[in-house]
């Protein structure tokens, strides 16, 4: 029993992809980044490739992937459906921006408008993804003020670190992008520590007694409602040893935050191409660390339905 890797990869890849897309749309659209064909091709290819890979991996989490299209029809009430609509809609301005910035070598005008719309679509999609989890009241670790901002901060963090690696690789590095990437990484680190502190102190008032409405004693389960493991027990009732959780938290802090922060700080003192190598290593380490962080995000969450299985 463990959290599904498809969802872990989905949230990591799409967060980084949309973060990078938003930066490229704004900086490229307004001419802050030059309209260079190879820079644009690699940058947009990386951003859209991460987004597409993440979206495709999410279908592997479905029992019937061929029915995924039906989720789009529930946008009035479902954050999952809204996420699907927003993710697909974002490809339209992103494609227009790519045509203008990459193929035509233009910025400003309608290209800037397309870039702004692509960035807005990326932010909207990240918000809908975060709200999928923040809106789930039965999972107290997610239903908090920390969840939605975390998705936005991590997208900005991973996107900016990728953007810095891209610019450094094409010898277009400046002091602004490494500083922004470093500050975003430190902000993500601080937010993650605050989230862990909040979750560790979280007191969940719901018990088997309150869930069943029974009083006058301690309610306990003597037999499971069914004989096989189900989805909730596998992915939202996962039990991880405290020592393993502490170890994985340290790995997350090292790979997702500490190592990238050190490498980004080193960029200011290293000549090219060493600065470019450090930037690429920072991006790779951070993505690996975020995979661990996302796994913990799901593994440490507890659905209140587990009370019916005798778990406190």
């Amino acid at each position: 029993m463990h959290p599904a890797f498809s969802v872990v990869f989905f949230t990591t890849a799409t967060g980084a992809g949309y973060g990078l897309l938003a930066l490229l749309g704004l900086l490229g659209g307004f001419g802050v980044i030059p309209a260079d064909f190879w820079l644009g091709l690699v940058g947009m290819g990386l951003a859209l490739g991460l987004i597409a890979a993440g979206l495709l991996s999410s279908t592997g989490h479905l029992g019937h992937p061929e029915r995924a299209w039906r989720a789009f029809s529930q946008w009035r009430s479902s954050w999952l459906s809204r996420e699907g609509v927003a993710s697909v809609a974002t490809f339209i301005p992103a494609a227009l921006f790519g045509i203008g910035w990459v193929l035509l070598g233009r910025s400003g005008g309608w290209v800037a408008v397309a870039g702004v719309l692509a960035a807005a679509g990326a932010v909207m999609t990240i918000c809908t993804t975060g709200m999928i989890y923040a809106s789930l009241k039965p999972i107290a670790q997610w239903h908090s003020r920390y969840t939605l901002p975390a998705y936005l901060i991590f997208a900005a963090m991973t996107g900016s670190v990728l953007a810095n690696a891209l610019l450094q690789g094409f010898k277009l590095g400046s002091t602004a992008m490494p500083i922004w990437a470093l500050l975003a990484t430190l902000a993500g680190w601080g937010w993650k520590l605050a989230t862990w502190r909040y979750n560790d102190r979280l007191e969940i008032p719901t018990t088997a007694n309150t869930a069943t409405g029974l009083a006058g004693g301690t309610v306990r389960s003597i037999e499971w409602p069914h004989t096989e493991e189900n989805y909730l027990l596998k992915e939202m009732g996962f039990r991880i040893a405290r020592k393993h959780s502490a170890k994985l938290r340290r790995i997350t802090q090292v790979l997702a935050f500490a190592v990238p922060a050190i490498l980004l700080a080193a960029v200011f003192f290293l000549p090219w191409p060493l600065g470019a190598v450090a930037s690429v290593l920072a991006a790779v380490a951070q993505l690996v660390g975020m995979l661990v962080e996302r796994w913990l995000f799901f593994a440490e969450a507890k659905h209140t339905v587990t009370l019916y299985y005798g778990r406190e």
Side-chain angles (χ1 to χ4, degrees):
M1 298 189 297
H2 56 80
F5 181 75
S6 59
V7 178
V8 172
F9 178 79
F10 161 71
T11 53
T12 303
T14 54
Y18 281 120
L20 178 58
L21 175 63
L23 284 173
L24 292 178
L26 294 175
L27 299 180
F30 288 99
V32 179
I33 299 176
D36 178 79
F37 174 78
W38 289 108
L39 171 67
L41 183 65
V42 174
M44 289 297 292
L46 180 59
L48 297 179
L50 285 169
I51 294 170
L55 293 175
L56 288 175
S57 72
S58 67
T59 62
H61 190 62
L62 303 177
H64 294 277
E66 70 277 4
R67 301 177 186 173
W69 62 272
R70 295 183 179 179
F72 291 87
S73 63
Q74 306 300 314
W75 57 270
R76 292 181 182 86
S77 58
S78 169
W79 283 108
L80 178 62
S81 183
R82 293 165 187 164
E83 177 196 47
V85 172
S87 63
V88 173
T90 301
F91 275 97
I92 299 174
L96 292 175
F97 169 72
I99 291 172
W101 189 52
V102 179
L103 298 182
L104 301 180
R106 297 177 58 182
S107 60
W110 66 270
V111 178
V113 173
V116 170
L117 291 177
V123 173
M124 182 63 68
T125 306
I126 291 297
C127 286
T128 57
T129 302
M131 283 305 300
I132 292 174
Y133 304 101
S135 64
L136 296 178
K137 294 182 179 180
I139 305 178
Q141 290 85 353
W142 296 350
H143 188 64
S144 76
R145 62 183 181 274
Y146 289 94
T147 300
L148 178 57
Y151 272 83
L152 293 170
I153 293 172
F154 291 153
M157 178 185 75
T158 52
S160 61
V161 173
L162 282 174
N164 176 66
L166 179 69
L167 294 178
Q168 292 288 339
F170 280 88
K171 300 183 71 173
L172 296 172
S174 64
T175 57
M177 185 55 70
I179 290 175
W180 170 250
L182 178 58
L183 292 177
T185 298
L186 295 177
W189 196 353
W191 195 262
K192 189 72 252 186
L193 291 175
T195 304
W196 281 334
R197 188 179 302 111
Y198 172 81
N199 288 340
D200 290 342
R201 297 176 179 177
L202 186 62
E203 294 184 3
I204 302 176
T206 306
T207 64
N209 287 68
T210 61
T212 57
L214 299 175
T218 301
V219 175
R220 62 186 180 88
S221 175
I222 60 174
E223 186 175 328
W224 278 24
H226 45 76
T227 58
E228 298 293 332
E229 293 282 358
N230 63 8
Y231 164 80
L232 288 174
L233 286 181
K234 289 180 179 179
E235 300 184 22
M236 296 185 187
F238 181 74
R239 287 180 290 186
I240 179 173
R242 183 169 298 180
K243 64 177 182 180
H244 296 318
S245 178
K247 180 179 179 181
L248 290 173
R249 286 186 179 188
R250 289 193 293 270
I251 292 174
T252 296
Q253 291 190 69
V254 170
L255 291 179
F257 307 114
V259 169
I262 293 172
L263 291 173
L264 289 170
V267 170
F268 296 102
F269 308 99
L270 294 174
W272 195 90
L274 294 179
V277 172
S279 297
V280 172
L281 290 177
V284 172
Q286 188 166 83
L287 288 177
V288 174
M290 287 306 298
L291 285 173
V292 180
E293 187 278 332
R294 289 290 86 185
W295 190 92
L296 272 175
F297 175 76
F298 291 98
E300 293 183 326
K302 296 295 181 290
H303 199 293
T304 52
V305 76
T306 57
L307 291 172
Y308 288 98
Y309 299 88
R311 300 181 184 178
E312 294 297 331

